[in-house]
Amino acid sequence: MTLTELLSNAKHAVVLTGAGISTLSGIPDFRGVGGLYTRTDIDANKLFDLDYFMKDPSYYYKHSKDFLYNLDEKEPNLVHTTLARLENEGVIHAVITQNIDLLHQKAGSRKVLELHGSPMLHHCLRCGKSWTFDEIAPRVRAGEVPVCDKCGGIVKPDIVFFGESLPERALAESEREARSADLMLVLGTSLTVYPAAALPEVTLQSGGNIAIINRDPTHLDRYACWVGRDLKQEMEDLSL
Ligand code: ZN
């Protein structure tokens, strides 16, 4: 069976995406070549550590300015636009993503569940005042460490840091989608980060199928009804 046939036969298809789909947009996979974890000038564990951030937010803002606060320059690629089109045509129900790059929304996807949060909003940790990405990004790019103008509190992006729990609503809704899905399409994730990696297992346990497209093998490949390696090629071949 082809991926096209699998999708058109599904009654409730959902998609889980990871960093592998955004490398085509020039956003390095944190763990891949050129990614955050391979850079010697940045300590990635410190960068997204909540305790460290509370002590010294400047480390985060200084080091994320060239890969997070330039996201408005990045464009969705074929994977994002295909998923947006499939949602529009009623073929897929929701996109669950581990990414924090806002590209699904930019491509036109409407139901996007962001498991690791989003830099779309920033909040003051003391008084709760919020700012949009567009308000904060130019300031960060200019070298500023944003501080709340109302109370002087620390301003934090709504990205999930180490030491924080995942956004409850997004997680609960993702689990619901995973349970209801008769097909989960898993794209560009190595399925190593939990609890996101558990979602395809929820679909399998509920009697659904999973299809995986990822550059490297994953531990769930042998349970998948369909496995591919080349995201770009598979998206081009989709004839829905
Ligand atoms: Zn404040």
Side-chain angles (χ1 to χ4, degrees), residues 124-129 131 148-153:
C124 169
L125 293 178
R126 192 184 293 158
C127 76
K129 182 174 175 181
W131 295 264
C148 179
D149 56 351
K150 207 169 133 198
C151 77

Coordinates of all heavy atoms in Angstrom, one line a residue, residues 124-129 131 148-153, ligand 1:
C124 N 6.0 37.7 31.5 CA 6.7 38.1 32.7 C 6.5 37.0 33.8 O 5.3 36.7 34.1 CB 6.3 39.4 33.2 SG 6.9 39.9 34.8
L125 N 7.5 36.5 34.4 CA 7.3 35.4 35.4 C 6.8 36.0 36.7 O 6.3 35.2 37.5 CB 8.7 34.7 35.6 CG 9.2 33.9 34.5 CD1 10.6 33.3 34.8 CD2 8.2 32.8 34.0
R126 N 6.8 37.3 36.9 CA 6.3 37.9 38.1 C 4.8 38.3 38.0 O 4.0 37.9 38.8 CB 7.2 39.0 38.6 CG 6.9 39.4 40.0 CD 7.7 40.6 40.5 NE 9.1 40.3 40.5 CZ 10.1 41.3 40.5 NH1 9.8 42.6 40.3 NH2 11.3 40.9 40.5
C127 N 4.5 39.2 37.0 CA 3.2 39.8 36.9 C 2.4 39.2 35.8 O 1.2 39.4 35.7 CB 3.3 41.3 36.8 SG 3.7 41.8 35.1
G128 N 3.0 38.4 34.9 CA 2.2 37.7 33.9 C 2.0 38.5 32.6 O 1.3 38.0 31.6
K129 N 2.5 39.7 32.5 CA 2.4 40.5 31.3 C 2.9 39.7 30.1 O 3.9 39.0 30.3 CB 3.1 41.8 31.5 CG 2.9 42.7 30.2 CD 3.5 44.1 30.4 CE 3.4 44.9 29.1 NZ 4.0 46.2 29.1
W131 N 4.1 39.4 25.8 CA 4.6 40.0 24.6 C 4.6 39.0 23.5 O 4.8 37.8 23.7 CB 6.0 40.5 24.8 CG 6.2 41.6 25.8 CD1 6.2 42.9 25.6 CD2 6.3 41.4 27.2 NE1 6.4 43.6 26.8 CE2 6.5 42.7 27.8 CE3 6.4 40.3 28.1 CZ2 6.6 42.9 29.2 CZ3 6.5 40.5 29.4 CH2 6.7 41.8 30.0
C148 N 10.6 43.0 32.2 CA 9.2 43.5 32.2 C 9.2 45.0 32.6 O 9.8 45.4 33.6 CB 8.4 42.8 33.3 SG 6.7 43.4 33.4
D149 N 8.6 45.8 31.7 CA 8.5 47.2 31.9 C 7.5 47.6 33.0 O 7.5 48.7 33.5 CB 8.2 48.0 30.6 CG 6.9 47.5 30.0 OD1 6.4 46.5 30.4 OD2 6.5 48.1 29.0
K150 N 6.7 46.7 33.4 CA 5.7 47.0 34.4 C 6.2 46.7 35.8 O 6.0 47.5 36.7 CB 4.5 46.1 34.1 CG 3.2 46.6 34.6 CD 2.0 45.8 34.0 CE 1.0 45.5 35.1 NZ 0.1 44.4 34.8
C151 N 7.0 45.6 36.0 CA 7.4 45.2 37.3 C 8.8 44.9 37.4 O 9.3 44.6 38.5 CB 6.5 44.0 37.8 SG 7.0 42.5 37.1
G152 N 9.6 44.9 36.3 CA 11.0 44.5 36.4 C 11.3 43.0 36.5 O 12.4 42.6 36.7
G153 N 10.2 42.2 36.3 CA 10.4 40.8 36.3 C 11.1 40.2 35.1 O 11.3 40.9 34.1
Ligands
ZN1 ZN 6.0 42.0 35.1

